Structure formats: structure tokens, C-alpha cells
Amino acid sequence: PPQVTVSRHAVEAVVDGQVAAAHVTQTFRNASQRTAEGGYLFPLPKDASVSDFQMTVNGTTLEGRLLTREEARRIYEEIVRRQLDP
């Protein structure tokens, strides 16, 4: 069975003319006793953008930074090389 599952998914959206703003909340649960690593892909239309990203882990909110794909990959690989939990 999968280690990590989605236990909650909620979307709040406001449409004003041709502009829509959506707030998506997803809750993931790791039911195992082991640390899990995975990739997260959130598909967006070509002309959409992300303005904010936050992640709450065990009650602590972490602010995300929006990076290019290349910069994010470079940072991730550097952390993994040092054998740290990204």
C-alpha cells in the first residue's frame, strides 16, 4: 500500500470576469513509521501562475519560494548529495 496518501483536498475559488483565483488545501498523511520522499506535481494551465506556497509540517508552517525548474533541481540535488532530508 502507498506510504503517503491524500487525506483532505479542498478548493476555494473566486471568479471575477475572466480572472479566477483559487486557494487549494491538500493534506497528506504518512501512515508508516518511516520517512517518505516523493515528487509533487500540480498541473496548471499554460497562462496560470502561482503567487504563494506554504507547507505545514507537524504544526510548523514553512514558506515556499517560487524558483525556476533548473534552480529548484540544483538546490534539491545539492541537498541530496549532502545526504540531508530535503
Side-chain angles (χ1 to χ4, degrees):
Q3 246 183 312
V4 177
T5 57
V6 177
S7 62
R8 179 173 182 257
H9 179 89
V11 178
E12 296 175 37
V14 175
V15 179
D16 184 10
Q18 292 188 10
V19 177
H23 180 98
V24 179
T25 301
Q26 294 178 309
T27 303
F28 298 88
R29 176 147 175 80
N30 179 1
S32 77
Q33 298 297 320
R34 298 185 347 210
T35 299
E37 179 180 340
Y40 180 76
L41 176 65
F42 190 86
L44 292 173
K46 194 176 234 179
D47 56 349
S49 64
V50 174
S51 62
D52 186 34
F53 179 82
Q54 295 176 343
M55 185 168 55
T56 303
V57 180
N58 296 328
T60 301
T61 300
L62 307 170
E63 295 291 330
R65 288 186 311 163
L66 302 177
L67 306 171
T68 65
R69 178 183 311 188
E70 295 77 17
E71 181 70 2
R73 172 60 61 187
R74 184 190 66 71
I75 291 169
Y76 172 81
E77 288 175 354
E78 180 181 306
I79 291 169
V80 170
R81 256 194 310 278
R82 293 185 308 193
Q83 297 181 340
L84 297 174
D85 182 0

